[in-house]
Amino acid sequence: HANSETLLDGAFDDQEQGPKFVEAIHRNAARLGNLVADLLDLSRIEAGQNSLELEPIKLAGAGSRATEAIGISAAKKGTEVVNAVPVDLAAMADMQALDQVLLNLVENAVKYTPAGGQVTVCARVIGGRVRIEVEDDGPGVPAEHRARLFERFYRVDPGRSKQMGGTGLGLAIVKHLVNSMGGTVGMTPAQTQGSIFWVELPKA
């Protein structure tokens, strides 16, 4: 609002400052649009309006769809995105919901991984469940923040999240979608450096 008022007050004709105000308005409008979309998603899921169809889903395909969708933006910052999910693994899931979950987790991992890093999607069987992991070699998450990561609007670094266009709702949406599929989510520190965000779903 302040940026648009400044433009109306004469900054529009300022060839140096004008474009900066327009860019700020565009960035804030995009962030507001993302926030509204995420809020609508979350309210639908919480109200049980998402009709999920659980069926056997090949996880390698879901991993490929997520890594390929984020691969172009990742390549621009020199981050490698690897799909290492075994081809024979399947879980009981809703395809659209699972795609949204993995897309969100891979996109987050790329956002917070420094240029030149790597993000890997892998999966394995644990008892009667399948555990999918999205691992990055970024800065990791301090211990005091880990328990609250999946709360709505919770941000480890609010300034950086806003700068990257984050709404603070992505992980809350992930948690609700996974819970709706009879699964669980969590985060653990990677062995050497970085974070592992994991999803466990019933094995197909």
Side-chain angles (χ1 to χ4, degrees), residues 6-7 10-24:
T6 307
L7 281 174
F12 187 79
D13 297 319
D14 187 326
Q15 292 186 355
E16 185 180 341
Q17 295 299 321
K20 292 180 181 177
F21 285 111
V22 172
E23 187 183 335

Side-chain angles (χ1 to χ4, degrees), residues 120-191:
T120 305
V121 183
C122 57
R124 64 183 190 275
V125 176
I126 301 178
R129 298 171 81 76
V130 178
R131 184 181 176 108
I132 310 161
E133 296 181 341
V134 177
E135 180 174 353
D136 65 66
D137 54 8
V141 178
E144 64 269 24
H145 294 289
R146 291 171 194 158
R148 300 189 61 191
L149 279 175
F150 292 89
E151 292 179 13
R152 62 181 67 197
F153 296 120
Y154 189 80
R155 292 182 170 103
V156 174
D157 185 343
R160 191 175 178 208
S161 294
K162 280 188 178 181
Q163 188 181 14
M164 291 179 168
T167 64
L169 291 170
L171 290 178
I173 290 172
V174 164
K175 182 178 181 178
H176 279 285
L177 284 173
V178 173
N179 288 348
S180 298
M181 292 187 285
T184 53
V185 296
M187 176 270 163
T188 55
Q191 250 186 342

Side-chain angles (χ1 to χ4, degrees), residues 53-57 91-95 204:
E53 286 188 30
L54 301 185
E55 57 182 339
I57 301 290
M92 293 302 293
D94 176 272
M95 182 178 286

